[in-house]
Structures are given as structure tokens and as C-alpha cells.
Amino acid sequence: MSDGSVYERALGAAFGRLQPQLQEYFSMQPGEGRYGHGTGVFDVAGCPRPALRPLLPVLPVSNAFFPDFGRGVPFTISNYAHLDPFGRSSLTAVRMFKFDRGERIFEDTTSLTSPTGLTDYVGRRRNLATDLDLSVSTDGRLHMHSPHTRLFLGRLRIPVPVLAGADAHAEQWWDEESGRYRIRTIVRQRQLGTVFVYDGSFTYEYRTFDGVLPPDAEPEKWERRL
């Protein structure tokens, strides 16, 4: 067992200001013997700009930003707390969206890459990396912001310029009225506005986990670079 989840260690004392349900959700750490599984519906999900959708499949990052868009999209999420191959405390998430044209996957691994710093590695090859800045609102919601992004292509580390890149903002909270978790994630590009979004609610349960990532959660490649 480590000294707290990656979110506890990154937030420090602020973790205690989260809604109690969020503290439970974000408290998983390696060695607990369980993983989290959620099921729900996104009110909206995908790329809302039709002109951009044909460009997304050619991006050198798979299982991330897909060219679909829909409303009332069923989805599942599985969260696994584990140590990555480099010994870093990590949380791997696999999200499955069920669109009319088929299923899409968005996967990532969030790793503790400094005593209180998180790096999120996105995609099947984990080759899109972004820093995660966390904060807690006065009503106990968790806010996540990804201000700096870089792309790894082979041995190349390519910073994504601020003007060309996009900022990702996520907000997660417990909805007392519905008794469900809610999450809202928006990726905005300065010139184009919102280029990717998902917003919805889900129920959540814990299942037995032996600490070994299942095949559908194991990435094609791990990345240790920052």
C-alpha cells in the first residue's frame, strides 16, 4: 500500500475539502485489491464540429479523440490503481462510448511524476502527455486543468504550442439529487472553440482486482518521459 492515492498526494490537505463521495472515488491506491467500474449515459459526447471530425482519425494518438458526436450516449468507465512499469503510483482509466456507428475507447494513465505532480498519458500508446493541475471548489467539486501538452513520436518529444494546442478542463462532482456521479470535460482550442466534450452521469461500484491490468486496460506502450 502506498501513502495515499495519486489524487490525495497531489491535492494534499485540499483533498479533505472534496465531497465525501469524491474522496471515496479518488482514494483508490495500488494494492487495495479492488477497481472501480461505472455505468451511465453522457448527455453529450464527442466532437461537436463536423468540419473537424474527418481530421481526428489521422492524429498520431489512438483511443483518444474520436470523430463521433452524439447525445444520450451510453458509456462505461473502469479505473485501476496500480504501479506502472517504472514504479510510479498510477491510475489507468478505460472509457467506452457506445455510439450508433459503434464503440469508441478513450484511455489514459495518470501517474505521480513528482512528490505532488501528476502527468496524464493519453491514448493507446500513451504518447500524448499533459500536466494536470487540480483544485477543489468551495462546494467540494474537483476541477482538473491540462495546461501543457507534448507529443512523443518515437524518440522525439514535441511540445504542443499554446496557440496550436487546446486546453482541457474537467469538473467532477456528486449529484445529491440523482445519487450519481457527474463529470463534465471540455477541450477548447483558442481559434476554434470547443473541439471535444463529454458531459454526463454514472453509477459506480467496486470489484475485485488482483493488481494486474486486464488486456483491455494494458496500453500498447508505456511512456516514462515528462
Side-chain angles (χ1 to χ4, degrees), residues 21-171:
Q21 296 84 358
L22 284 188
Q23 291 184 43
E24 171 70 12
Y25 184 94
F26 288 108
S27 67
M28 282 198 312
Q29 54 185 299
E32 282 194 5
R34 65 174 184 165
Y35 77 96
H37 182 78
T39 303
V41 176
F42 277 133
D43 301 328
V44 61
C47 177
R49 299 188 175 274
L52 291 181
R53 293 173 199 162
L55 303 178
L56 295 181
V58 304
L59 293 176
V61 183
S62 60
N63 284 11
F65 307 110
F66 38 79
D68 303 80
F69 181 77
R71 299 183 184 278
V73 180
F75 84 100
T76 62
I77 181 171
S78 295
N79 291 317
Y80 303 91
H82 62 99
L83 297 179
D84 72 7
F86 318 111
R88 302 179 301 193
S89 185
S90 301
L91 185 73
T92 287
V94 180
R95 305 163 189 82
M96 189 279 291
F97 303 77
K98 190 173 183 180
F99 292 96
D100 292 339
R101 296 194 304 170
E103 296 178 351
R104 297 288 187 179
I105 302 295
F106 189 109
E107 58 182 299
D108 66 330
T109 296
T110 302
S111 297
L112 192 73
T113 50
S114 71
T116 59
L118 298 181
T119 301
D120 192 35
Y121 298 93
V122 178
R124 187 66 185 148
R125 294 178 59 83
R126 303 299 196 264
N127 62 327
L128 184 70
T130 183
D131 301 325
L132 278 187
D133 290 347
L134 308 180
S135 62
V136 180
S137 65
T138 55
D139 57 356
R141 300 184 182 195
L142 180 66
H143 291 259
M144 295 170 275
H145 176 220
S146 303
H148 304 296
T149 303
R150 49 271 186 204
L151 181 65
F152 299 112
L153 294 178
R155 296 183 178 181
L156 297 178
R157 180 188 187 279
I158 306 172
V160 180
V162 173
L163 290 177
D167 281 349
H169 298 263
E171 179 183 22

